[in-house]
Amino acid sequence: MTVPSRQTPSRALTETGVVPILRGKKTGEHLPAVLDTLVDNGIRCLEITTNTPGAFAAVTAAHERYGADVELGIGTVLTVDDVRAAEQAGAAFIVCPHTDPELADAALARGLGYYPGAFTATEVLTAWKLGATAVKIFPASVAGPKYLRELGGPIDGVPLLPTGGVTVELVPEYLAAGAIAVGMGGPLVGDALDGGDLGALATRTRRVLDAVAGTQV
């Protein structure tokens, strides 16, 4: 099904192959330093979740800091108000844990990328028909890369973005199984949002990007 207003996955996402998911429930104090570390080490597509304190303001500030070099999105979007706030903050896309026609319509009407969560073939195709930019397979770790490969067989052509428990070691397997990219939270970010070691975050980031590069040779 063709949806005229559907956004396509950006080069920032597909060329780097990973979108870090920044979810800092305790405080947003360390968010700018984490963003800088990720960007300085090659990340070009980032998601900040709505349950991170100051998430929308952080997207606005990061957009002003990095300009067009970095694509920024809002994750854990649950309401139309979240979609409106994401647009006002300068986000390029929204990410949801589920598929909701109302949120799909709101995102597409604003020209935002729309990444809804789904798991089964029926859910994936429903999300795609609603205009998804790509479908977030969540939680990916429940079934792993083999499931993604099997799922992608009969629905070839729908871009899939596995998220949830994706580890650094499994990144190549997910990409080889057909993912356009992976979403990574804790396994990549670690405790950096709580003031943890930024040097360790930089090392993990380079490992992930090296793993992605290895699948593109």
PDB file of all heavy atoms in Angstrom, residues 44-79:
ATOM      1  N   ARG A  44      24.531   9.949  14.207  1.00  0.00           N
ATOM      2  CA  ARG A  44      23.870  11.020  13.463  1.00  0.00           C
ATOM      3  C   ARG A  44      22.353  10.978  13.569  1.00  0.00           C
ATOM      4  O   ARG A  44      21.664  11.789  12.958  1.00  0.00           O
ATOM      5  CB  ARG A  44      24.283  10.957  11.984  1.00  0.00           C
ATOM      6  CG  ARG A  44      25.740  11.315  11.744  1.00  0.00           C
ATOM      7  CD  ARG A  44      26.009  12.769  12.080  1.00  0.00           C
ATOM      8  NE  ARG A  44      27.413  13.159  11.993  1.00  0.00           N
ATOM      9  CZ  ARG A  44      28.258  13.168  12.994  1.00  0.00           C
ATOM     10  NH1 ARG A  44      27.848  12.796  14.208  1.00  0.00           N
ATOM     11  NH2 ARG A  44      29.508  13.546  12.844  1.00  0.00           N
ATOM     12  N   CYS A  45      21.816  10.029  14.324  1.00  0.00           N
ATOM     13  CA  CYS A  45      20.373   9.932  14.528  1.00  0.00           C
ATOM     14  C   CYS A  45      20.131   9.559  15.983  1.00  0.00           C
ATOM     15  O   CYS A  45      20.694   8.569  16.475  1.00  0.00           O
ATOM     16  CB  CYS A  45      19.777   8.879  13.590  1.00  0.00           C
ATOM     17  SG  CYS A  45      17.980   8.753  13.665  1.00  0.00           S
ATOM     18  N   LEU A  46      19.322  10.352  16.694  1.00  0.00           N
ATOM     19  CA  LEU A  46      19.161  10.189  18.135  1.00  0.00           C
ATOM     20  C   LEU A  46      17.696  10.304  18.538  1.00  0.00           C
ATOM     21  O   LEU A  46      16.942  11.099  17.967  1.00  0.00           O
ATOM     22  CB  LEU A  46      19.948  11.267  18.883  1.00  0.00           C
ATOM     23  CG  LEU A  46      21.479  11.188  18.784  1.00  0.00           C
ATOM     24  CD1 LEU A  46      22.083  12.569  18.864  1.00  0.00           C
ATOM     25  CD2 LEU A  46      22.015  10.308  19.900  1.00  0.00           C
ATOM     26  N   GLU A  47      17.318   9.518  19.548  1.00  0.00           N
ATOM     27  CA  GLU A  47      15.965   9.557  20.084  1.00  0.00           C
ATOM     28  C   GLU A  47      16.015   9.884  21.580  1.00  0.00           C
ATOM     29  O   GLU A  47      16.744   9.244  22.329  1.00  0.00           O
ATOM     30  CB  GLU A  47      15.287   8.200  19.880  1.00  0.00           C
ATOM     31  CG  GLU A  47      13.960   8.043  20.585  1.00  0.00           C
ATOM     32  CD  GLU A  47      13.454   6.612  20.575  1.00  0.00           C
ATOM     33  OE1 GLU A  47      13.882   5.821  19.694  1.00  0.00           O
ATOM     34  OE2 GLU A  47      12.640   6.269  21.456  1.00  0.00           O
ATOM     35  N   ILE A  48      15.247  10.869  21.996  1.00  0.00           N
ATOM     36  CA  ILE A  48      15.096  11.206  23.410  1.00  0.00           C
ATOM     37  C   ILE A  48      13.654  10.915  23.789  1.00  0.00           C
ATOM     38  O   ILE A  48      12.727  11.379  23.128  1.00  0.00           O
ATOM     39  CB  ILE A  48      15.433  12.684  23.676  1.00  0.00           C
ATOM     40  CG1 ILE A  48      16.872  12.997  23.237  1.00  0.00           C
ATOM     41  CG2 ILE A  48      15.251  13.018  25.147  1.00  0.00           C
ATOM     42  CD1 ILE A  48      17.236  14.461  23.310  1.00  0.00           C
ATOM     43  N   THR A  49      13.445  10.141  24.845  1.00  0.00           N
ATOM     44  CA  THR A  49      12.090   9.713  25.189  1.00  0.00           C
ATOM     45  C   THR A  49      11.352  10.753  26.015  1.00  0.00           C
ATOM     46  O   THR A  49      11.947  11.547  26.742  1.00  0.00           O
ATOM     47  CB  THR A  49      12.111   8.384  25.965  1.00  0.00           C
ATOM     48  OG1 THR A  49      12.722   8.588  27.248  1.00  0.00           O
ATOM     49  CG2 THR A  49      12.882   7.318  25.198  1.00  0.00           C
ATOM     50  N   THR A  50      10.029  10.707  25.918  1.00  0.00           N
ATOM     51  CA  THR A  50       9.197  11.692  26.610  1.00  0.00           C
ATOM     52  C   THR A  50       9.301  11.588  28.130  1.00  0.00           C
ATOM     53  O   THR A  50       9.020  12.566  28.827  1.00  0.00           O
ATOM     54  CB  THR A  50       7.713  11.524  26.230  1.00  0.00           C
ATOM     55  OG1 THR A  50       7.294  10.176  26.534  1.00  0.00           O
ATOM     56  CG2 THR A  50       7.489  11.806  24.759  1.00  0.00           C
ATOM     57  N   ASN A  51       9.689  10.401  28.647  1.00  0.00           N
ATOM     58  CA  ASN A  51       9.806  10.274  30.104  1.00  0.00           C
ATOM     59  C   ASN A  51      11.201  10.611  30.609  1.00  0.00           C
ATOM     60  O   ASN A  51      11.557  10.286  31.742  1.00  0.00           O
ATOM     61  CB  ASN A  51       9.367   8.886  30.582  1.00  0.00           C
ATOM     62  CG  ASN A  51      10.024   7.755  29.815  1.00  0.00           C
ATOM     63  OD1 ASN A  51      10.872   7.971  28.965  1.00  0.00           O
ATOM     64  ND2 ASN A  51       9.620   6.532  30.124  1.00  0.00           N
ATOM     65  N   THR A  52      11.980  11.291  29.773  1.00  0.00           N
ATOM     66  CA  THR A  52      13.234  11.900  30.202  1.00  0.00           C
ATOM     67  C   THR A  52      12.943  13.345  30.612  1.00  0.00           C
ATOM     68  O   THR A  52      12.358  14.088  29.820  1.00  0.00           O
ATOM     69  CB  THR A  52      14.275  11.893  29.069  1.00  0.00           C
ATOM     70  OG1 THR A  52      14.569  10.544  28.713  1.00  0.00           O
ATOM     71  CG2 THR A  52      15.550  12.600  29.486  1.00  0.00           C
ATOM     72  N   PRO A  53      13.298  13.768  31.809  1.00  0.00           N
ATOM     73  CA  PRO A  53      13.018  15.142  32.220  1.00  0.00           C
ATOM     74  C   PRO A  53      13.575  16.160  31.218  1.00  0.00           C
ATOM     75  O   PRO A  53      14.734  16.085  30.825  1.00  0.00           O
ATOM     76  CB  PRO A  53      13.738  15.249  33.573  1.00  0.00           C
ATOM     77  CG  PRO A  53      13.740  13.856  34.107  1.00  0.00           C
ATOM     78  CD  PRO A  53      13.941  12.972  32.892  1.00  0.00           C
ATOM     79  N   GLY A  54      12.705  17.076  30.801  1.00  0.00           N
ATOM     80  CA  GLY A  54      13.139  18.117  29.869  1.00  0.00           C
ATOM     81  C   GLY A  54      13.382  17.623  28.458  1.00  0.00           C
ATOM     82  O   GLY A  54      14.154  18.243  27.705  1.00  0.00           O
ATOM     83  N   ALA A  55      12.721  16.527  28.060  1.00  0.00           N
ATOM     84  CA  ALA A  55      12.992  15.898  26.764  1.00  0.00           C
ATOM     85  C   ALA A  55      12.782  16.860  25.588  1.00  0.00           C
ATOM     86  O   ALA A  55      13.632  16.959  24.697  1.00  0.00           O
ATOM     87  CB  ALA A  55      12.114  14.669  26.586  1.00  0.00           C
ATOM     88  N   PHE A  56      11.670  17.559  25.578  1.00  0.00           N
ATOM     89  CA  PHE A  56      11.358  18.415  24.431  1.00  0.00           C
ATOM     90  C   PHE A  56      12.320  19.597  24.353  1.00  0.00           C
ATOM     91  O   PHE A  56      12.793  19.951  23.269  1.00  0.00           O
ATOM     92  CB  PHE A  56       9.905  18.887  24.503  1.00  0.00           C
ATOM     93  CG  PHE A  56       8.913  17.764  24.411  1.00  0.00           C
ATOM     94  CD1 PHE A  56       8.279  17.288  25.544  1.00  0.00           C
ATOM     95  CD2 PHE A  56       8.637  17.166  23.188  1.00  0.00           C
ATOM     96  CE1 PHE A  56       7.371  16.241  25.471  1.00  0.00           C
ATOM     97  CE2 PHE A  56       7.733  16.116  23.090  1.00  0.00           C
ATOM     98  CZ  PHE A  56       7.097  15.647  24.245  1.00  0.00           C
ATOM     99  N   ALA A  57      12.630  20.186  25.500  1.00  0.00           N
ATOM    100  CA  ALA A  57      13.603  21.281  25.519  1.00  0.00           C
ATOM    101  C   ALA A  57      14.980  20.783  25.086  1.00  0.00           C
ATOM    102  O   ALA A  57      15.733  21.503  24.418  1.00  0.00           O
ATOM    103  CB  ALA A  57      13.677  21.890  26.920  1.00  0.00           C
ATOM    104  N   ALA A  58      15.302  19.544  25.448  1.00  0.00           N
ATOM    105  CA  ALA A  58      16.599  18.977  25.073  1.00  0.00           C
ATOM    106  C   ALA A  58      16.699  18.793  23.571  1.00  0.00           C
ATOM    107  O   ALA A  58      17.760  19.013  22.975  1.00  0.00           O
ATOM    108  CB  ALA A  58      16.812  17.637  25.779  1.00  0.00           C
ATOM    109  N   VAL A  59      15.607  18.394  22.938  1.00  0.00           N
ATOM    110  CA  VAL A  59      15.605  18.257  21.478  1.00  0.00           C
ATOM    111  C   VAL A  59      15.797  19.615  20.818  1.00  0.00           C
ATOM    112  O   VAL A  59      16.582  19.758  19.871  1.00  0.00           O
ATOM    113  CB  VAL A  59      14.300  17.592  20.993  1.00  0.00           C
ATOM    114  CG1 VAL A  59      14.142  17.752  19.486  1.00  0.00           C
ATOM    115  CG2 VAL A  59      14.294  16.113  21.355  1.00  0.00           C
ATOM    116  N   THR A  60      15.114  20.618  21.326  1.00  0.00           N
ATOM    117  CA  THR A  60      15.267  21.968  20.768  1.00  0.00           C
ATOM    118  C   THR A  60      16.709  22.449  20.898  1.00  0.00           C
ATOM    119  O   THR A  60      17.297  22.969  19.937  1.00  0.00           O
ATOM    120  CB  THR A  60      14.329  22.950  21.493  1.00  0.00           C
ATOM    121  OG1 THR A  60      12.977  22.535  21.303  1.00  0.00           O
ATOM    122  CG2 THR A  60      14.502  24.361  20.952  1.00  0.00           C
ATOM    123  N   ALA A  61      17.287  22.267  22.085  1.00  0.00           N
ATOM    124  CA  ALA A  61      18.666  22.710  22.318  1.00  0.00           C
ATOM    125  C   ALA A  61      19.644  21.949  21.443  1.00  0.00           C
ATOM    126  O   ALA A  61      20.583  22.541  20.880  1.00  0.00           O
ATOM    127  CB  ALA A  61      19.023  22.528  23.798  1.00  0.00           C
ATOM    128  N   ALA A  62      19.436  20.643  21.307  1.00  0.00           N
ATOM    129  CA  ALA A  62      20.335  19.839  20.489  1.00  0.00           C
ATOM    130  C   ALA A  62      20.202  20.202  19.016  1.00  0.00           C
ATOM    131  O   ALA A  62      21.198  20.233  18.276  1.00  0.00           O
ATOM    132  CB  ALA A  62      20.039  18.356  20.688  1.00  0.00           C
ATOM    133  N   HIS A  63      18.992  20.492  18.586  1.00  0.00           N
ATOM    134  CA  HIS A  63      18.770  20.902  17.193  1.00  0.00           C
ATOM    135  C   HIS A  63      19.525  22.194  16.897  1.00  0.00           C
ATOM    136  O   HIS A  63      20.133  22.350  15.835  1.00  0.00           O
ATOM    137  CB  HIS A  63      17.274  21.085  16.954  1.00  0.00           C
ATOM    138  CG  HIS A  63      16.910  21.420  15.545  1.00  0.00           C
ATOM    139  ND1 HIS A  63      17.132  20.565  14.487  1.00  0.00           N
ATOM    140  CD2 HIS A  63      16.359  22.531  15.004  1.00  0.00           C
ATOM    141  CE1 HIS A  63      16.718  21.127  13.362  1.00  0.00           C
ATOM    142  NE2 HIS A  63      16.248  22.320  13.659  1.00  0.00           N
ATOM    143  N   GLU A  64      19.490  23.110  17.845  1.00  0.00           N
ATOM    144  CA  GLU A  64      20.216  24.375  17.673  1.00  0.00           C
ATOM    145  C   GLU A  64      21.724  24.150  17.699  1.00  0.00           C
ATOM    146  O   GLU A  64      22.482  24.824  16.995  1.00  0.00           O
ATOM    147  CB  GLU A  64      19.803  25.355  18.771  1.00  0.00           C
ATOM    148  CG  GLU A  64      18.355  25.812  18.669  1.00  0.00           C
ATOM    149  CD  GLU A  64      17.906  26.641  19.857  1.00  0.00           C
ATOM    150  OE1 GLU A  64      18.684  26.722  20.848  1.00  0.00           O
ATOM    151  OE2 GLU A  64      16.788  27.191  19.818  1.00  0.00           O
ATOM    152  N   ARG A  65      22.181  23.183  18.482  1.00  0.00           N
ATOM    153  CA  ARG A  65      23.619  22.927  18.633  1.00  0.00           C
ATOM    154  C   ARG A  65      24.208  22.199  17.430  1.00  0.00           C
ATOM    155  O   ARG A  65      25.291  22.524  16.969  1.00  0.00           O
ATOM    156  CB  ARG A  65      23.860  22.125  19.915  1.00  0.00           C
ATOM    157  CG  ARG A  65      25.332  21.934  20.267  1.00  0.00           C
ATOM    158  CD  ARG A  65      25.529  21.692  21.749  1.00  0.00           C
ATOM    159  NE  ARG A  65      25.052  20.405  22.209  1.00  0.00           N
ATOM    160  CZ  ARG A  65      23.969  20.219  22.963  1.00  0.00           C
ATOM    161  NH1 ARG A  65      23.220  21.261  23.309  1.00  0.00           N
ATOM    162  NH2 ARG A  65      23.612  19.027  23.382  1.00  0.00           N
ATOM    163  N   TYR A  66      23.476  21.214  16.914  1.00  0.00           N
ATOM    164  CA  TYR A  66      24.033  20.375  15.850  1.00  0.00           C
ATOM    165  C   TYR A  66      23.530  20.730  14.459  1.00  0.00           C
ATOM    166  O   TYR A  66      24.134  20.324  13.459  1.00  0.00           O
ATOM    167  CB  TYR A  66      23.703  18.897  16.116  1.00  0.00           C
ATOM    168  CG  TYR A  66      24.101  18.399  17.471  1.00  0.00           C
ATOM    169  CD1 TYR A  66      23.175  17.757  18.289  1.00  0.00           C
ATOM    170  CD2 TYR A  66      25.397  18.565  17.955  1.00  0.00           C
ATOM    171  CE1 TYR A  66      23.524  17.293  19.546  1.00  0.00           C
ATOM    172  CE2 TYR A  66      25.751  18.106  19.213  1.00  0.00           C
ATOM    173  CZ  TYR A  66      24.811  17.473  20.004  1.00  0.00           C
ATOM    174  OH  TYR A  66      25.163  17.017  21.244  1.00  0.00           O
ATOM    175  N   GLY A  67      22.411  21.447  14.373  1.00  0.00           N
ATOM    176  CA  GLY A  67      21.876  21.807  13.071  1.00  0.00           C
ATOM    177  C   GLY A  67      21.457  20.585  12.276  1.00  0.00           C
ATOM    178  O   GLY A  67      21.002  19.575  12.821  1.00  0.00           O
ATOM    179  N   ALA A  68      21.650  20.662  10.965  1.00  0.00           N
ATOM    180  CA  ALA A  68      21.211  19.592  10.077  1.00  0.00           C
ATOM    181  C   ALA A  68      22.123  18.370  10.116  1.00  0.00           C
ATOM    182  O   ALA A  68      21.826  17.357   9.479  1.00  0.00           O
ATOM    183  CB  ALA A  68      21.127  20.124   8.646  1.00  0.00           C
ATOM    184  N   ASP A  69      23.224  18.442  10.844  1.00  0.00           N
ATOM    185  CA  ASP A  69      24.164  17.316  10.889  1.00  0.00           C
ATOM    186  C   ASP A  69      23.620  16.119  11.668  1.00  0.00           C
ATOM    187  O   ASP A  69      24.100  14.993  11.497  1.00  0.00           O
ATOM    188  CB  ASP A  69      25.488  17.756  11.525  1.00  0.00           C
ATOM    189  CG  ASP A  69      26.267  18.703  10.650  1.00  0.00           C
ATOM    190  OD1 ASP A  69      26.005  18.725   9.426  1.00  0.00           O
ATOM    191  OD2 ASP A  69      27.124  19.433  11.179  1.00  0.00           O
ATOM    192  N   VAL A  70      22.640  16.354  12.541  1.00  0.00           N
ATOM    193  CA  VAL A  70      22.115  15.288  13.393  1.00  0.00           C
ATOM    194  C   VAL A  70      20.589  15.306  13.330  1.00  0.00           C
ATOM    195  O   VAL A  70      19.960  16.353  13.463  1.00  0.00           O
ATOM    196  CB  VAL A  70      22.581  15.465  14.852  1.00  0.00           C
ATOM    197  CG1 VAL A  70      21.967  14.388  15.748  1.00  0.00           C
ATOM    198  CG2 VAL A  70      24.101  15.427  14.939  1.00  0.00           C
ATOM    199  N   GLU A  71      20.005  14.125  13.117  1.00  0.00           N
ATOM    200  CA  GLU A  71      18.547  13.997  13.106  1.00  0.00           C
ATOM    201  C   GLU A  71      18.075  13.629  14.508  1.00  0.00           C
ATOM    202  O   GLU A  71      18.563  12.667  15.103  1.00  0.00           O
ATOM    203  CB  GLU A  71      18.115  12.922  12.114  1.00  0.00           C
ATOM    204  CG  GLU A  71      16.609  12.822  11.985  1.00  0.00           C
ATOM    205  CD  GLU A  71      16.168  11.734  11.028  1.00  0.00           C
ATOM    206  OE1 GLU A  71      16.707  10.609  11.110  1.00  0.00           O
ATOM    207  OE2 GLU A  71      15.285  12.011  10.198  1.00  0.00           O
ATOM    208  N   LEU A  72      17.114  14.381  15.022  1.00  0.00           N
ATOM    209  CA  LEU A  72      16.644  14.205  16.395  1.00  0.00           C
ATOM    210  C   LEU A  72      15.175  13.832  16.416  1.00  0.00           C
ATOM    211  O   LEU A  72      14.364  14.374  15.659  1.00  0.00           O
ATOM    212  CB  LEU A  72      16.855  15.494  17.189  1.00  0.00           C
ATOM    213  CG  LEU A  72      18.329  15.896  17.360  1.00  0.00           C
ATOM    214  CD1 LEU A  72      18.446  17.396  17.485  1.00  0.00           C
ATOM    215  CD2 LEU A  72      18.915  15.198  18.574  1.00  0.00           C
ATOM    216  N   GLY A  73      14.831  12.889  17.281  1.00  0.00           N
ATOM    217  CA  GLY A  73      13.452  12.462  17.400  1.00  0.00           C
ATOM    218  C   GLY A  73      13.020  12.347  18.849  1.00  0.00           C
ATOM    219  O   GLY A  73      13.836  12.356  19.769  1.00  0.00           O
ATOM    220  N   ILE A  74      11.709  12.242  19.025  1.00  0.00           N
ATOM    221  CA  ILE A  74      11.111  12.041  20.342  1.00  0.00           C
ATOM    222  C   ILE A  74      10.547  10.629  20.414  1.00  0.00           C
ATOM    223  O   ILE A  74       9.794  10.200  19.526  1.00  0.00           O
ATOM    224  CB  ILE A  74       9.984  13.062  20.607  1.00  0.00           C
ATOM    225  CG1 ILE A  74      10.557  14.475  20.776  1.00  0.00           C
ATOM    226  CG2 ILE A  74       9.173  12.670  21.829  1.00  0.00           C
ATOM    227  CD1 ILE A  74      11.269  14.714  22.086  1.00  0.00           C
ATOM    228  N   GLY A  75      10.907   9.895  21.474  1.00  0.00           N
ATOM    229  CA  GLY A  75      10.428   8.530  21.640  1.00  0.00           C
ATOM    230  C   GLY A  75       9.423   8.401  22.765  1.00  0.00           C
ATOM    231  O   GLY A  75       9.174   9.356  23.509  1.00  0.00           O
ATOM    232  N   THR A  76       8.825   7.206  22.875  1.00  0.00           N
ATOM    233  CA  THR A  76       7.776   6.919  23.852  1.00  0.00           C
ATOM    234  C   THR A  76       6.641   7.935  23.707  1.00  0.00           C
ATOM    235  O   THR A  76       6.154   8.511  24.683  1.00  0.00           O
ATOM    236  CB  THR A  76       8.320   6.901  25.294  1.00  0.00           C
ATOM    237  OG1 THR A  76       9.545   6.154  25.322  1.00  0.00           O
ATOM    238  CG2 THR A  76       7.347   6.211  26.246  1.00  0.00           C
ATOM    239  N   VAL A  77       6.255   8.166  22.467  1.00  0.00           N
ATOM    240  CA  VAL A  77       5.149   9.078  22.173  1.00  0.00           C
ATOM    241  C   VAL A  77       3.835   8.319  22.336  1.00  0.00           C
ATOM    242  O   VAL A  77       3.603   7.299  21.678  1.00  0.00           O
ATOM    243  CB  VAL A  77       5.281   9.644  20.742  1.00  0.00           C
ATOM    244  CG1 VAL A  77       4.015  10.386  20.330  1.00  0.00           C
ATOM    245  CG2 VAL A  77       6.494  10.568  20.665  1.00  0.00           C
ATOM    246  N   LEU A  78       2.978   8.820  23.212  1.00  0.00           N
ATOM    247  CA  LEU A  78       1.741   8.117  23.558  1.00  0.00           C
ATOM    248  C   LEU A  78       0.483   8.904  23.243  1.00  0.00           C
ATOM    249  O   LEU A  78      -0.612   8.333  23.233  1.00  0.00           O
ATOM    250  CB  LEU A  78       1.751   7.765  25.048  1.00  0.00           C
ATOM    251  CG  LEU A  78       2.927   6.906  25.535  1.00  0.00           C
ATOM    252  CD1 LEU A  78       2.845   6.726  27.049  1.00  0.00           C
ATOM    253  CD2 LEU A  78       2.947   5.558  24.840  1.00  0.00           C
ATOM    254  N   THR A  79       0.602  10.225  23.011  1.00  0.00           N
ATOM    255  CA  THR A  79      -0.575  11.062  22.796  1.00  0.00           C
ATOM    256  C   THR A  79      -0.348  12.017  21.636  1.00  0.00           C
ATOM    257  O   THR A  79       0.794  12.293  21.235  1.00  0.00           O
ATOM    258  CB  THR A  79      -0.887  11.894  24.053  1.00  0.00           C
ATOM    259  OG1 THR A  79       0.157  12.880  24.233  1.00  0.00           O
ATOM    260  CG2 THR A  79      -0.979  11.025  25.298  1.00  0.00           C
TER     261      THR A  79
END
